[in-house]
Amino acid sequence: MIQIISDVLSPEEVKRFRELLGQAQWQDGRATAGHVAIRAKANEQLSQDDPLAQQLSEFLLDRLGQISHFVAAALPLKVLPPRFNRYTGGGNYGDHIDNAIFTVPASGTRIRGDLSSTLFLSDPDDYEGGELIVQGEIERHHFKLPAGQMILYPSGSFHQVTPVTRGTRLGAFFWTQSLVREHSRRALLFELDNTIQGLAQNDPGQPAVGRLTGLYHNLLREWCDT
Ligand code: NI
């Protein structure tokens, strides 16, 4: 299940992020690629020790917890603090699958990457190329989202960023370990959640809402790992 999460940041917040990131100390992104991915990666990133990166990362982590679409779709158990990248001058990231395990620098906590996210911070008109292409079960999906929107997709998917041939593409990216590891089960829970929300909007008092909510929690109890 691939989801587009809109309104992660407001236009004003995106502007502020871009101003701050414009003054940041960018480093070669290959420093954090796995030994296979390193050959495919040509971009810049902020160091995780960078105080600006940490400040923006904490802001985003806090925000993600308030976005019901993200919480319902990802069912997050642990979220790796978001990192920031920049593609310019032909920068790209060839087709690859992300690593399975990540370590939170501050705590040493390990996170299994179930879901990958990219938050777009540049306006699509400000750069040429720079599409995120994610391989679905049957076809490839192309994303070049408005600034402030985010894509959420299974971390086991092949994906790539096409060369940025004009302008600059800024983004944030992170991984989430979900309470529900299996994508198919998580998708069923999300569908059930949406159905309950729809019913509750029309008639919050109807008994089916309570029964389906109970069913949702019982399925989550069966399937979740904490
Ligand atoms: Ni990747």
Side-chain angles (χ1 to χ4, degrees), residues 93 96-98 116 153 159 175:
Y93 202 158
H96 67 283
I97 289 178
D98 292 338
S116 302
Y153 60 95
H159 59 282
W175 291 271

Side-chain angles (χ1 to χ4, degrees), residues 21-47:
L21 291 171
Q23 304 154 13
Q25 299 288 317
W26 293 95
Q27 301 182 342
D28 190 330
R30 279 174 294 192
T32 55
H35 70 283
V36 174
I38 198 165
R39 279 178 281 153
K41 191 173 182 184
N43 67 1
E44 294 169 295
Q45 287 179 195
L46 292 190
S47 161

Side-chain angles (χ1 to χ4, degrees), residues 37 41 87 93-99 102 116 118 132 153 155 157-161 173 175:
K41 191 173 182 184
Y87 292 82
Y93 202 158
D95 218 15
H96 67 283
I97 289 178
D98 292 338
N99 287 354
F102 300 92
S116 302
T118 295
L132 173 67
Y153 60 95
S155 296
S157 319
F158 267 103
H159 59 282
Q160 60 180 286
V161 176
F173 61 100
W175 291 271

